[in-house]
Amino acid sequence: MASHPSRVSPFDPIRWWGRVAPARVALVDRVRDDRHTYAELDALADAWHLRLASLGVGRGDRVATLAGNRVAQVGLLYACWRLGAALVPLNWRLAATELSRIAANARPKVIVGEDRFQSLAEQAGVSSVDAVWEALDDVCEAPRSRGDARSAGEFVTPSADDAALILYTSGSTGVPKGAVLPHRQIFYNAVATTTGWELGPHDIAPISTPFFHTGGWNVFATPLWQLGGRIVLFDQFDPASYLDGLAEEGCTVALTVPTQSIMMLECASWGRPIPSLRFFISGGAPCPSRVMERVRAGGFAMKEGFGLTECGPNCFAMPTEAAERRPGSVGWPVPLLDMRLVRDDGSDTLPNEAGELLLRGPQMFAGYFDDPMRTAEAVDGDGWLHTGDLASRDEDGAYRIRGRRKEMFISGGENVYPGEVESALMEHPALSEVAVIGVADAKWGEVGRAYVVARSGQVPDIQEITAFARARLAGYKVPKAVVVLQELPKLGSGKIDRNALAAVGDSRSE
């Protein structure tokens, strides 16, 4: 349904705050040292609305971006929504062949890209999908063509289930899947997050996660914009610059993945006061308890989150005062989100028993783009999303994530959860990263193999590491081989590529 621009869509907080509090700062660009008010972001979205409309973008279309964390991406997101289109941020870390498959699936009408990625786009053959390449100026965040946004293209009030974002998975197996995030998901994730995490309009959060991941948009950005809060934008993560930004911008909350937390702890800037910061939240992968303890020892509150592109991504909440008392816990379900833990036969688990985590609620995705088969594999007939993650529930209803279902292996008839083994090994002072996988074994069926990365200046002793593990784990959980690597292979999301690890083998073990 078309609407006059004076009418504000319930899914357009930039427009609403641009009128209610136009001078309030919505976004700080740390790279370019620019500050953008809600009124300025609203005007930027209008400018991109006009440009996209002139290129033929309309309701139901898709606009791709091939760019870093630019203010223009925010303007493009809301411009797409005002046209009834969806934004598809492309992963510029991918190889050309990987990018080609995603572009062919998404079929964008327009690709807005930075000059530095044009060669990658050409190698990927994106011209074959008949998309218009719109160059993003290296300096200016607005489109090259300006004018009155009300003179071209209708302003659309999208429905709750219209696609707002399409985010592609890292694609460690098979062709990447495009998760369709409807307006409903983004809105209700904002409601649940701001409620469960106790966020308000005065909160300020940094964003260093790429915009081609849900963490860039939906952990803090869209929830805080819904409330009139402020986002501090980093184009990439550098620990010293990140810590400087937290302090100088008065950030009150911050997201890090475990690798980033480790980098901060080893940075010379670690220890500088950040009096405004209420808490760090760790996501993306289980955070080792040793890392969390070191962050807390620095005077900061820290807790662990969990979520996924297909739901949330913020699925649990826990007060900071409870987090320190509950190591390994992610807390309780956020408002509006239903959860079940089920055994292989579909029956519900008992307290403290691991089972697959199932989710259902308004903050769930609308399926995989043009892929009803894989959508049906993920979401059952009753609307439950089967996450593939294993979790357990404490007696009082708080949850603990145990790892991926497909990563669990059985050794001598006993279930082994790699996350538990990794957490134990990460307590070793010589190690900075650990990943454990199950490998075939003639006697036990499967056994663990650990891949480790040494901390700077440390030389791991394999026998000592094994003894360290035996003192903390049951015998069947102790890895039978330890492989030392310079770095762990990672997916575009920053998560460990376990398929690549399996290909490494144990030729480097001692």
Side-chain angles (χ1 to χ4, degrees):
M1 168 175 101
S3 67
H4 190 273
S6 63
R7 179 180 175 186
V8 180
S9 163
F11 309 117
D12 196 340
I14 300 298
R15 171 78 81 197
W16 195 87
W17 286 108
R19 295 179 177 183
V20 174
R24 183 180 297 180
V25 175
L27 185 61
V28 176
D29 183 348
R30 286 288 293 185
V31 175
R32 294 165 182 80
D33 194 26
D34 286 335
R35 306 176 99 73
H36 301 264
T37 66
Y38 275 94
E40 289 167 342
L41 274 189
D42 184 31
L44 179 63
D46 272 351
W48 277 110
H49 168 275
L50 172 60
R51 181 57 181 156
L52 294 178
S54 73
L55 294 172
V57 176
R59 186 161 201 160
D61 288 329
R62 291 159 300 285
V63 174
T65 58
L66 199 57
N69 282 9
R70 297 278 299 268
V71 174
Q73 294 239 47
V74 180
L76 281 159
L77 178 72
Y78 288 94
C80 284
W81 294 3
R82 295 172 188 184
L83 287 164
L87 190 72
V88 187
L90 299 175
N91 185 344
W92 42 264
R93 292 174 176 165
L94 296 178
T97 53
E98 296 172 301
L99 188 61
S100 176
R101 290 195 294 267
I102 291 175
N105 180 251
R107 304 186 304 281
K109 179 156 284 189
V110 175
I111 300 176
V112 181
E114 295 182 84
D115 289 342
R116 58 177 170 152
F117 299 126
Q118 187 166 6
S119 176
L120 172 62
E122 292 171 353
Q123 293 173 40
V126 294
S127 59
S128 64
V129 300
D130 295 325
V132 175
W133 175 267
E134 176 75 0
L136 182 59
D137 191 284
D138 288 341
V139 177
C140 183
E141 302 297 332
R144 293 174 179 174
S145 179
R146 295 175 177 270
D148 182 2
R150 292 159 178 74
S151 66
E154 292 184 309
F155 281 78
V156 171
T157 299
S159 71
D161 287 308
D162 282 348
L165 274 167
I166 301 178
L167 299 174
Y168 281 81
T169 62
S170 299
S172 61
T173 58
V175 179
K177 298 174 289 187
V180 179
L181 279 58
H183 291 276
R184 161 184 50 77
Q185 177 178 0
I186 293 171
F187 176 81
Y188 282 105
N189 174 68
V191 172
T193 299
T194 53
T195 302
W197 290 10
E198 303 175 78
L199 302 179
H202 301 296
D203 275 308
I204 303 171
I207 298 296
S208 63
T209 310
F211 274 150
F212 51 75
H213 291 308
T214 190
W217 292 109
N218 299 317
V219 171
F220 280 123
T222 53
L224 282 185
W225 285 327
Q226 194 71 41
L227 290 181
R230 183 183 303 181
I231 294 299
V232 178
L233 192 62
F234 294 81
D235 189 40
Q236 59 185 352
F237 181 82
D238 170 78
S241 299
Y242 190 75
L243 289 166
D244 288 345
L246 295 184
E248 293 166 8
E249 300 297 340
C251 290
T252 59
V253 291
L255 167 73
T256 56
V257 301
T259 301
Q260 292 174 337
S261 296
I262 293 168
M263 292 170 67
M264 287 194 306
L265 289 168
E266 296 179 349
C267 174
S269 298
W270 179 253
R272 69 170 298 174
I274 310 177
S276 59
L277 193 70
R278 292 195 287 120
F279 63 81
F280 282 104
I281 188 162
S282 180
C287 187
S289 59
R290 174 171 58 85
V291 172
M292 298 192 80
E293 289 167 3
R294 290 180 64 194
V295 171
R296 288 170 180 151
F300 302 105
M302 190 177 196
K303 53 188 173 180
E304 190 155 10
F306 170 87
L308 57 163
T309 303
E310 291 86 345
C311 187
N314 304 325
C315 296
F316 294 92
M318 179 165 49
T320 52
E321 60 269 21
E324 195 165 357
R325 301 194 307 266
R326 292 174 170 271
S329 175
V330 292
W332 292 265
V334 294
L336 309 172
L337 190 58
D338 294 327
M339 296 188 182
R340 290 179 63 201
L341 295 178
V342 299
R343 305 183 181 98
D344 289 342
D345 62 5
S347 60
D348 291 319
T349 63
L350 297 173
N352 302 311
E353 178 186 359
E356 184 182 6
L357 178 64
L358 275 55
L359 304 173
R360 185 173 66 182
Q363 57 267 64
M364 199 169 84
F365 79 144
Y368 297 113
F369 184 68
D370 271 3
D371 202 338
M373 183 177 298
R374 288 204 279 186
T375 299
E377 291 172 355
V379 183
D380 66 26
D382 293 322
W384 288 102
L385 172 65
H386 292 244
T387 66
D389 290 290
L390 293 167
S392 61
R393 186 172 48 243
D394 296 345
E395 295 282 354
D396 62 358
Y399 283 70
R400 298 172 184 274
I401 304 301
R402 305 287 292 273
R404 294 288 293 169
R405 183 180 183 185
K406 62 184 179 181
E407 291 168 4
M408 185 199 80
F409 58 92
I410 301 175
S411 185
E414 299 283 358
N415 292 347
V416 180
Y417 303 100
E420 180 184 7
V421 182
E422 291 164 359
S423 180
L425 288 176
M426 274 298 295
E427 299 297 317
H428 195 287
L431 303 181
S432 66
E433 290 188 280
V434 176
V436 174
I437 64 173
V439 296
D441 183 81
K443 181 178 181 180
W444 301 108
E446 288 180 292
V447 295
R449 179 186 295 154
Y451 296 86
V452 303
V453 176
R455 293 183 66 185
S456 178
Q458 299 287 328
V459 179
D461 182 301
I462 302 302
Q463 292 184 341
E464 197 275 327
I465 290 173
T466 301
F468 183 88
R470 288 192 181 281
R472 289 160 175 78
L473 297 166
Y476 65 88
K477 299 178 184 178
V478 176
K480 297 300 184 287
V482 177
V483 184
V484 180
L485 300 177
Q486 292 296 314
E487 60 181 5
L488 298 180
K490 304 283 177 59
L491 298 167
S493 62
K495 295 181 180 180
I496 296 168
D497 187 342
R498 294 179 187 270
N499 288 338
L501 279 179
V504 170
D506 63 356
S507 59
R508 301 187 205 180
S509 61
E510 297 181 15

